[in-house]
Amino acid sequence: MYTGEYNHTIDEKGRLIIPTKFRELLGNSFVVTKSLDGCLSIYDSIKWDELEKKLNQLPMTNKSARELKRFLLGGANIVELDKQGRILITQPLRKSAKLLGDISLVGVGDHIEIWNTEEWNKISNYGDFENIAQSMEGLGI
C-alpha cells in the first residue's frame, strides 16, 4: 500500500525522483497517467492491469465510458526508473498537471498522486475536522 507525502522537484527536462519507499513497491517499470483533480497518478503494473481490464470491459456505445478511456488510457505512459531513481514525465502530462519546480508525491493506497506542490497545499488544508468526521461517518468509516 502506498502511503505518505514526499516533496521533490522536477527538472527542466521533466525528470522526477521517485522516493525509495515507493520505488521498492513499484519496481523498475510502471504507469503514469492523468488523474482527477488536476494531478497525475502512478500505478504499479498489477494495479494498472486491473484498471485497464475494467476500462476495456466498458461498453463502446457509452459516451462517458469512451471519454474515461481516452482520459486514462490516452494519457498513460509506461516509465522506467533510471540509475538515479528518476522517471521522465512527458511534456503533455507535465502540462496537464502544471508540474514545474516543486512537486508533492502522495501515496493514496492503491496508487500514488503527483501534484504541483502549490496546488497540493491548496487542497490538502484540512482545517475543518468536523467536516472530515462527517464525511467519514457518511462513508461508514
Side-chain angles (χ1 to χ4, degrees), residues 5-140:
E5 178 181 334
Y6 300 88
N7 295 304
H8 287 278
T9 57
I10 192 166
D11 69 17
E12 65 280 348
K13 294 180 182 178
R15 295 176 299 193
L16 175 66
I17 293 173
I18 301 299
T20 303
K21 179 182 173 186
F22 290 158
R23 279 185 271 175
E24 292 170 355
L25 297 169
L26 287 166
N28 287 326
S29 179
F30 43 90
V31 175
V32 177
T33 190
K34 294 177 187 175
S35 191
L36 305 174
D37 301 320
C39 67
L40 301 179
S41 286
I42 297 175
Y43 291 92
D44 62 46
S45 58
I46 293 169
K47 287 294 178 189
W48 180 254
D49 287 345
E50 291 172 6
L51 178 58
E52 195 172 26
K53 284 178 186 172
K54 289 178 184 177
L55 290 169
N56 285 327
Q57 291 174 354
L58 296 174
M60 232 177 102
T61 56
N62 182 299
K63 183 177 180 177
S64 295
R66 292 192 310 271
E67 289 174 349
L68 180 60
K69 286 176 73 170
R70 285 185 203 116
F71 179 74
L72 291 173
L73 298 174
N77 284 281
I78 297 171
V79 298
E80 293 186 6
L81 290 168
D82 67 12
K83 292 178 183 177
Q84 288 80 34
R86 303 174 301 187
I87 60 170
L88 178 65
I89 299 177
T90 64
Q91 177 60 32
L93 287 177
R94 290 194 316 261
K95 184 178 177 183
S96 75
K98 302 176 188 166
L99 300 182
L100 297 167
D102 295 333
I103 304 300
S104 295
L105 292 105
V106 183
V108 291
D110 66 344
H111 68 284
I112 302 160
E113 294 179 343
I114 306 173
W115 287 90
N116 167 301
T117 296
E118 188 175 316
E119 294 297 317
W120 171 246
N121 289 337
K122 287 178 190 174
I123 70 150
S124 65
N125 183 5
Y126 303 114
D128 186 355
F129 293 107
E130 186 60 35
N131 189 32
I132 292 171
Q134 289 175 359
S135 294
M136 291 174 74
E137 184 178 348
L139 293 170

